[in-house]
Amino acid sequence: MKPVIVTKGITKTYQPDTIPVHALRGVDLTIKEGEFVAIVGPSGSGKTTLLNIIGGLDRPSEGYIEVGGKDISALSDNALIDFRRDNIGFVFQAYNLIPVLTALENVEFVMLLQKLPKDQRHKRALELLHAVGLDDKISKRPIELSGGQQQRVAVARALASKPAFVLADEPTANLDSVSTGQLLDIMANLNREEQMTFVFSTHDQRVIDRAHRIITLEDGKIISDQLGHG
Amino acid sequence: MIFKVAWRNIWRSRTRSLVVISAVVLGIWAIIVITGFSIGMVRTYIHTAILNEWSHIQIHRSDYFVDKALEDTLPNGFAIYQNLKNEFPEELLSPRLLVQGMVSSPKAARGVTIKAIQPGPENATTELQDHLSQGQYLDVDSRNPMLIGEDLADKIQVSLNNRVVLTFQSYSGEITAASFRIVGLYKTKDSRYDSQHIFVRQEDIKKLLGGDGLHEIAIRVPDGTDFQPIMDRIVKEYPGLDVQSYKTLSPDLELYESTIGLTSTIMTIIVMLALIFGIINTMMMAVLERIKELGMLMAIGMNKQRVFFMILIETLLLGCIGAPIGMLVGYVTILLTSNTGLDLSAYSAGMREFGLSDIIYPWVPPTIYWQLAIAVVITALIGSLFPALRAIRLRPVEAIRTL
């Protein structure tokens, strides 16, 4: 399997002028296509910072990062936005759907940004919502959906642009166990059947239990990288 | 879909958007109504001044205005008058003999301009008879009849059927006085005019002057006709005469006419400036309460141009919903009042001092609607800039973390 994400010697230091906070202290990581990876660690260990850097939302202070074979540390802000749109699917902790759009429109939106024709957008959005089991909710707005359903729409949206991988920042933090189970089933299926790469940051034991690989961070460093039980 | 998102976004905070839309409606309506009112006032003033006092064109001897002397009559004035009458059968002409003199009652005396007229043509040109408030017009079978303005009659304390003495210089240079009977009192929309002019018949005064002649031929063109081509022809045909329009005879009319366009522009600028702040405030709130969402949009790949565009569209929509409603309400207001007029007779005593009519017929030039449409778009664009720039300065990684 070819590598999707490669980082070398990534550090991230906040407020370097006053008292520097070292969020990451040299992270070397390679994630390959089709992996189902959980990044775990206590609060303040640097999970979210690492995820933001891998996701092109933040830039490392030092080090090299390559996504899908492309060095993204040199991209301009706008080029980075386009890169995220085409290569990375995001699932946020707080769902973060567009509240004024229906489930179907939310999924279509990313493809609209990619300037895909309307019929293609529509077809793929319907397929994705079917894949996450929301055929009957396509015309509901986020406020009319449960947390679990919103997060499933978010997963469908993340996949809409056919990204290189999906980044999920604590995706189950606000979900009950039934919804968490459904969501994990969906993601595991997509991983198995479509070789979609998933990278989570999580505290949630239920997620950790399903991961194929568990990377543990502490004080901005990887302290263990082992196979999971999933 | 960006339009759809923008459209739905403005209805997320229904009350707030409705407040801004209402402000736009009210602002546009106010511009139209105030402009219509002030233009209507100016137009009524100009119309009244042309009708009662100046006509469109006046012809004098070339040096008449140097000292307005009695002997400065038009050379062959009556022949010119006849020629013009034949040449312009549609136009309304009045030949006048103008004498500077004094009107005296037993109690007071005033300097006046005595307008010696031919009752028929004068009435056709200035509708003088319609302005009689008491008594009769000059076409009565009476010796030395005279019309006097109500204001002047008050000042010299005379009333209908009283006799007054007119004193003036004759052609021979003698001071002449004669008794005239007040057969009618007139009242125009301009009290200044009324207190300075009295009307007598030419046939009565020429005997007293010891000669005949004309100082002035006034020409009023029918409503809806442009006077300029007629004036150009007269200038060409009578190069030795002083031919002027009301615009040069009474420069204040020209000035008022030129303010017509200015009024709406100034009103528009003032109202739009006020609206800009309302729009900025609303859109700024809309952006600040959506920081997390905007951050998410940028995270999933909506670039800065699109975010900027979305905020811009939202602002334009606010303006574009309000503007047509405001225009429609303004249009209807003008339509309803332009036929009946606004009766300001409660204040008309004061307005007459300035020559203003007591009934105003509001009117706006049709171009005002285009001006306003453009002004609203420009206002919305300017109002959106600040919030839109604020939105694209967000860094997604920080915005998403905001609770």
Side-chain angles (χ1 to χ4, degrees):
Chain A
M1 286 292 178
K2 62 179 180 183
V4 180
I5 303 161
V6 178
T7 73
K8 282 187 187 137
I10 284 188
T11 69
K12 181 71 184 178
T13 309
Y14 291 110
Q15 298 172 324
D17 295 338
T18 55
I19 306 158
V21 175
H22 302 286
L24 294 176
R25 303 163 185 258
V27 174
D28 299 323
L29 181 66
T30 301
I31 294 174
K32 291 189 180 126
E33 198 176 273
E35 285 199 279
F36 203 70
V37 185
I39 297 173
V40 302
S43 293
S45 60
K47 295 191 301 290
T48 300
T49 306
L50 180 60
L51 230 63
N52 285 339
I53 289 173
I54 294 173
L57 291 170
D58 206 353
R59 293 170 193 278
S61 305
E62 286 170 55
Y64 171 82
I65 171 152
E66 194 183 284
V67 174
K70 189 175 173 108
D71 176 9
I72 64 167
S73 45
L75 291 177
S76 71
D77 280 0
N78 252 345
L80 204 53
I81 291 179
D82 290 348
F83 184 82
R84 289 199 296 265
R85 178 194 66 198
D86 296 335
N87 297 282
I88 305 169
F90 288 94
V91 178
F92 303 99
Q93 180 180 340
Y95 328 135
N96 283 358
L97 297 173
I98 303 167
V100 296
L101 297 182
T102 63
L104 185 72
E105 289 165 339
N106 261 288
V107 179
E108 273 191 56
F109 192 78
V110 181
M111 293 184 275
L112 174 93
L113 297 176
Q114 288 180 308
K115 301 193 175 99
L116 253 60
K118 188 172 170 48
D119 48 344
Q120 271 186 46
R121 288 193 323 241
H122 193 74
K123 187 162 168 274
R124 179 156 173 80
L126 285 174
E127 284 167 10
L128 287 164
L129 284 168
H130 173 75
V132 297
L134 289 174
D135 300 82
D136 55 339
K137 306 285 183 198
I138 57 169
S139 53
K140 300 278 186 215
R141 293 206 189 177
I143 198 164
E144 300 168 298
L145 299 172
S146 71
Q149 289 166 339
Q150 286 188 55
Q151 202 60 307
R152 277 144 67 189
V153 175
V155 171
R157 177 181 69 184
L159 296 168
S161 65
K162 299 186 178 166
F165 64 97
V166 173
L167 268 187
D169 187 11
E170 312 233 10
T172 57
N174 297 337
L175 300 184
D176 59 38
S177 54
V178 177
S179 300
T180 300
Q182 287 171 341
L183 189 75
L184 288 170
D185 287 344
I186 288 163
M187 294 200 276
N189 270 339
L190 288 163
N191 172 254
R192 198 167 46 242
E193 285 164 19
E194 302 192 16
Q195 293 299 301
M196 179 53 67
T197 313
F198 281 87
V199 181
F200 305 91
S201 80
T202 190
H203 282 113
D204 190 338
Q205 195 54 47
R206 297 166 298 189
V207 180
I208 298 167
D209 288 345
R210 303 283 288 266
H212 302 164
R213 179 178 167 192
I214 301 161
I215 296 165
T216 310
L217 279 181
E218 203 171 296
D219 297 331
K221 282 185 188 158
I222 295 175
I223 56 162
S224 90
D225 186 347
Q226 58 196 22
L227 289 176
H229 314 288
Chain B
M1 199 185 284
I2 297 229
F3 273 93
K4 197 191 269 180
V5 175
W7 172 258
R8 289 183 188 167
N9 274 337
I10 65 174
W11 297 113
R12 282 162 81 167
S13 182
R14 195 176 293 267
T15 313
R16 197 172 60 204
S17 294
L18 283 176
V19 166
V20 178
I21 291 168
S22 308
V24 174
V25 171
L26 202 68
I28 297 283
W29 176 81
I31 293 171
I32 293 174
V33 169
I34 294 174
T35 304
F37 184 78
S38 63
I39 291 181
M41 208 183 233
V42 169
R43 274 167 49 113
T44 311
Y45 175 71
I46 293 172
H47 182 258
T48 307
I50 289 172
L51 180 63
N52 298 150
E53 190 171 357
W54 299 104
S55 301
H56 288 101
I57 305 167
Q58 288 187 10
I59 304 172
H60 300 89
R61 191 163 128 162
S62 58
D63 56 354
Y64 175 75
F65 285 105
V66 177
D67 49 18
K68 296 184 181 175
L70 184 64
E71 58 274 15
D72 293 340
T73 51
L74 286 161
N76 301 317
F78 288 102
I80 295 172
Y81 171 59
Q82 273 308 328
N83 287 344
L84 289 172
K85 235 168 64 166
N86 295 335
E87 196 175 344
F88 301 108
E90 300 287 315
E91 278 61 41
L92 308 155
L93 283 73
S94 178
R96 294 173 189 147
L97 199 154
L98 306 171
V99 184
Q100 306 303 320
M102 195 168 71
V103 57
S104 321
S105 73
K107 301 210 170 127
R110 289 270 165 161
V112 289
T113 297
I114 301 160
K115 286 190 160 184
I117 53 149
Q118 296 178 8
E122 179 67 28
N123 189 43
T125 310
T126 62
E127 297 178 357
L128 182 57
Q129 194 167 358
D130 292 350
H131 293 117
L132 290 182
S133 56
Q134 293 177 49
Q136 291 170 286
Y137 192 52
L138 288 175
D139 50 356
V140 288
D141 185 18
S142 161
R143 192 170 160 272
N144 288 357
M146 185 185 98
L147 298 180
I148 186 168
E150 266 190 9
D151 297 83
L152 183 55
D154 281 349
K155 281 173 184 161
I156 63 170
Q157 299 173 44
V158 290
S159 54
L160 193 64
N161 293 325
N162 284 173
R163 285 189 167 274
V164 292
V165 174
L166 295 185
T167 312
F168 46 86
Q169 209 175 26
S170 71
Y171 280 114
S172 59
E174 307 278 324
I175 297 294
T176 307
S179 162
F180 281 73
R181 195 166 68 83
I182 298 171
V183 295
L185 272 73
Y186 73 88
K187 184 177 181 180
T188 69
K189 303 296 182 196
D190 186 353
S191 63
R192 288 174 305 181
Y193 179 80
D194 294 0
S195 56
Q196 286 162 9
H197 295 88
I198 60 173
F199 291 88
V200 299
R201 293 189 302 214
Q202 265 170 29
E203 58 192 80
D204 297 330
I205 208 143
K206 73 183 182 191
K207 287 176 266 177
L208 299 162
L209 288 169
D212 207 351
L214 289 179
H215 294 101
E216 179 173 288
I217 299 170
I219 303 168
R220 181 162 71 90
V221 304
D223 286 347
T225 311
D226 184 11
F227 72 88
Q228 195 63 47
I230 295 167
M231 183 163 147
D232 293 343
R233 264 171 71 184
I234 298 171
V235 169
K236 214 169 175 181
E237 284 168 33
Y238 301 97
L241 299 182
D242 177 69
V243 184
Q244 293 192 55
S245 75
Y246 65 92
K247 293 184 182 186
T248 48
L249 289 163
S250 175
D252 56 330
L253 294 186
E254 162 98 89
L255 180 72
Y256 286 140
E257 262 190 350
S258 66
T259 62
I260 286 179
L262 200 62
T263 314
S264 63
T265 309
I266 292 173
M267 273 301 300
T268 307
I269 291 172
I270 293 172
V271 172
M272 292 300 149
L273 273 178
L275 279 181
I276 279 184
F277 290 102
I279 289 174
I280 290 179
N281 184 42
T282 300
M283 289 312 297
M284 208 63 191
M285 281 166 73
V287 166
L288 291 178
E289 72 186 11
R290 266 155 58 200
I291 281 186
K292 195 168 179 177
E293 186 182 322
L294 291 167
M296 174 273 293
L297 288 172
M298 290 198 234
I300 66 169
M302 189 163 174
N303 63 26
K304 292 182 178 185
Q305 290 90 318
R306 279 177 194 261
V307 172
F308 191 93
F309 187 63
M310 183 176 76
I311 304 292
L312 203 118
I313 298 284
E314 286 180 28
T315 320
L316 275 176
L317 282 173
L318 286 178
C320 293
I321 297 168
I325 300 173
M327 285 187 202
L328 188 71
V329 180
Y331 174 76
V332 170
T333 309
I334 296 289
L335 199 69
L336 291 179
T337 51
S338 63
N339 289 325
T340 53
L342 288 174
D343 191 352
L344 301 180
S345 46
Y347 316 96
S348 66
M351 303 211 8
R352 276 188 76 244
E353 298 289 324
F354 297 99
L356 292 170
S357 170
D358 47 8
I359 296 184
I360 303 291
Y361 296 90
W363 181 85
V364 290
T367 49
I368 195 174
Y369 297 103
W370 286 113
Q371 276 180 24
L372 285 175
I374 294 166
V376 167
V377 170
I378 293 173
T379 305
L381 289 179
I382 296 174
S384 68
L385 276 184
F386 196 50
L389 287 172
R390 179 75 180 77
I392 61 167
R393 274 209 312 270
L394 291 172
R395 293 188 57 225
V397 64
E398 286 160 11
I400 294 170
R401 243 183 258 144
T402 312
L403 284 175

